[in-house]
Amino acid sequence: MEKHRRVRAAQAVRAASAALTILLVLAGLTASSFAQGLVTEPLRVGVILPAPRGGETTADVLWNAVAEAAVKGAVMGTEETAFNASMLGMDFDSIIVRVGSPEEAAEAVAQLVAEHNVYAVVGGLGEGFAPALSRAAAAHNVLFFNIGTPDDYLRKEERRPTTFHIEASAAMYLDALAGWFVRAPHRFWYIVYEDSPAGQALYARLRYALTERHFGAREVGRAAVARGQADYGSVLNAIRRSNADLVVLLLNGEDQLRFLEQYAAARINVRITGFPAPETQTRTFLRLLAERAGAADAGYRSLLWEPTLDMYGARELNARYVERWGEPMDSAAWAAYASMKILFEAVLFGGSVRAEDLVSYLASPMAVFDVWKGIGTSFRPWDHQLRQSLYLVRVNQQGPSGDDARSKLNMALLVGELPAIYMPGTDPVERLDQLGDIE
């Protein structure tokens, strides 16, 4: 286990200072008013992520990109949060750990609690990691912030009081996809999903979105495929016969790219999009999509965060990230960064590091956070999911002109946001709850 050593960038520190001032003003407080009520013990957060993969497969490339983005987001979030904490005489830091399996992730929680007295762990990227971290965090009575698993079962069947979700739920992503593409309008949907319990759950939830929430579209065909299936010829033929005007892939990132490559080669002239699994929400994935499926109408993708977003203070955050790392802020980086900010503010305004107190505070209506999405966000009390907006981008399928940050930014253009957060006369919480399960 190696403790990450922070390097603070001057511009980031200035920006963080300004953010803290705004935060205190919005709270109607000054730094001096905290003097007698601040938590004085060191605040430590563990960040547990998959170890780098040594292979060169598409899956290795995709997962290395998303994990590395999370590391960078956590580092920058720690730097800026630590500076804010220091202005109040508080001590905030994180310990980043890379492990090879969910079992090792659970062991890392125990070690971080014993050796560093962490009050929270952040992670969840990688198959099986999120449930392992959720169970381990509950067993050791610390918080777990999930930044990598949209699976709804972790918000229902395996719901735990100490687990909170920065990553959007599958239900939120599917509702957003339905909202965008039904309005487009695409009326005849063909759905391809993985023949597994997780894939069947995604298919069932998308069916629910189409039949119960976004009327006007219907399913005209579906196909259950095996994970890692090499040949999709029969599915492509079925799509041709279906009269579909939209194809939706509910597959992992590697399988989406394999399907899209064959889809483009088959020259099927029907728009196609895919479920935004975490490994698909990077510029690395978008580059591969452009390279392998440039001939297909496959350019519309949904994201948790978009590095070209320039409203709500996002322009400054995205600019600081580019200056710090020389590349755009992918979704996993934003989720890790936001986790650090929220975890610190929970202690600052909740006044405690005890898990019971933090759970109570985070699930309360008082706990509202600015995460650069234009509206104060909060956690749903029933499943601890962060209410938030999602984004639709159009990918430049001609591919980037270079490998610099500007070229990577230009790989996609922001074209949509859901829900519509500025609607006069409506409650912000009700607007944000338009995405996802409401009970």
Side-chain angles (χ1 to χ4, degrees):
M1 182 181 301
E2 180 181 356
K3 180 178 178 179
H4 183 86
R5 300 188 181 282
R6 293 179 281 110
V7 180
R8 297 175 181 171
Q11 182 176 353
V13 168
R14 288 195 298 272
S17 176
L20 177 62
T21 301
I22 293 171
L23 177 67
L24 295 176
V25 169
L26 289 175
L29 300 165
T30 64
S32 60
S33 70
F34 281 100
Q36 296 183 349
L38 292 176
V39 173
T40 56
E41 61 188 273
L43 304 178
R44 297 292 180 263
V45 172
V47 182
I48 302 172
L49 297 167
R53 297 188 179 192
E56 298 180 351
T57 67
T58 298
D60 294 334
V61 171
L62 294 178
W63 278 106
N64 282 340
V66 71
E68 190 60 26
V71 169
K72 291 175 178 175
V75 170
M76 184 170 140
T78 301
E79 291 171 353
E80 296 192 4
T81 301
F83 179 77
N84 284 341
S86 70
M87 292 182 67
L88 297 168
M90 300 172 71
D91 180 7
F92 181 92
D93 203 355
S94 69
I95 302 96
I96 298 177
V97 181
R98 308 289 297 269
V99 296
S101 68
E103 292 75 19
E104 292 180 9
E107 293 171 0
V109 174
Q111 190 172 354
L112 287 167
V113 171
E115 296 181 1
H116 298 278
N117 197 30
V118 300
Y119 70 97
V121 292
V122 176
L125 286 167
E127 188 167 357
F129 277 69
L133 288 170
S134 177
R135 288 191 293 269
H140 293 280
N141 201 32
V142 297
L143 300 185
F144 166 51
F145 269 28
N146 167 32
I147 64 167
T149 298
D151 296 348
D152 288 326
Y153 77 89
L154 203 60
R155 294 150 174 89
K156 295 181 177 178
E157 290 83 355
E158 284 208 32
R159 184 186 309 171
R160 294 183 179 82
T162 49
T163 294
F164 290 79
H165 305 280
I166 305 299
E167 168 67 291
S169 68
M172 293 171 67
Y173 284 126
L174 294 171
D175 282 341
L177 286 174
W180 281 311
F181 288 101
V182 169
R183 290 185 181 94
H186 293 285
R187 304 303 189 200
F188 308 107
W189 293 40
Y190 194 100
I191 305 167
V192 182
Y193 59 97
E194 184 178 299
D195 191 9
S196 67
Q200 291 161 8
L202 284 177
Y203 166 72
R205 186 56 180 77
L206 181 55
R207 282 275 300 175
Y208 173 82
L210 293 179
T211 57
E212 302 296 331
R213 288 196 167 189
H214 298 275
F215 307 108
R218 64 184 177 89
E219 175 189 319
V220 296
R222 67 176 185 271
V225 301
R227 175 178 290 200
Q229 185 167 314
D231 184 357
Y232 297 106
S234 61
V235 180
L236 299 177
N237 289 332
I239 291 171
R240 281 197 180 93
R241 297 192 298 268
S242 69
N243 292 321
D245 61 7
L246 180 72
V247 179
V248 181
L249 302 178
L250 305 179
L251 307 174
N252 64 48
E254 181 182 27
D255 286 351
Q256 285 191 41
L257 287 173
R258 186 183 303 108
F259 191 100
L260 287 167
E261 187 169 12
Q262 295 180 30
Y263 191 86
R267 298 185 179 281
I268 298 176
N269 188 27
V270 177
R271 178 160 290 164
I272 183 169
T273 190
F275 181 75
E279 72 273 19
T280 70
Q281 296 194 41
T282 67
R283 260 27 187 190
T284 296
F285 177 88
L286 299 185
R287 176 194 292 271
L288 292 173
L289 184 153
E291 291 175 353
R292 299 183 185 184
D297 185 358
Y300 287 93
R301 304 289 306 190
S302 57
L303 301 172
L304 183 69
W305 179 258
E306 166 53 29
T308 61
L309 181 66
D310 65 356
M311 299 183 290
Y312 326 129
R315 173 186 293 182
E316 290 74 19
L317 175 62
N318 282 322
R320 294 202 305 276
Y321 190 89
V322 169
E323 180 169 334
R324 179 69 176 84
W325 299 111
E327 58 188 64
M329 187 178 216
D330 287 329
S331 294
W334 171 85
Y337 180 96
S339 293
M340 297 301 158
K341 181 177 186 289
I342 293 173
L343 283 167
F344 170 68
E345 291 177 11
V347 174
L348 180 64
F349 294 110
S352 171
V353 293
R354 294 178 66 248
E356 293 81 0
D357 297 333
L358 290 170
V359 168
S360 178
Y361 175 75
L362 287 168
S364 73
M366 296 184 300
V368 179
F369 303 96
D370 176 14
V371 291
W372 304 276
K373 291 201 172 190
I375 193 170
T377 61
S378 57
F379 290 99
R380 293 169 178 154
W382 57 88
D383 63 0
H384 292 178
Q385 173 64 57
L386 186 69
R387 302 177 171 100
Q388 57 186 306
S389 302
L390 300 175
Y391 305 100
L392 181 71
V393 300
R394 186 174 69 236
V395 180
N396 173 12
Q397 291 185 256
Q398 301 306 309
S401 57
D403 200 38
D404 57 288
R406 175 55 55 186
S407 295
K408 291 179 179 178
L409 282 169
N410 289 339
M411 289 186 66
L413 174 68
L414 180 65
V415 295
E417 177 181 351
L418 277 179
I421 57 175
Y422 292 118
M423 294 179 65
T426 60
D427 180 80
V429 170
E430 292 180 358
R431 290 199 295 275
L432 292 173
D433 279 343
Q434 293 172 7
L435 300 181
D437 294 329
I438 57 175
E439 60 182 11

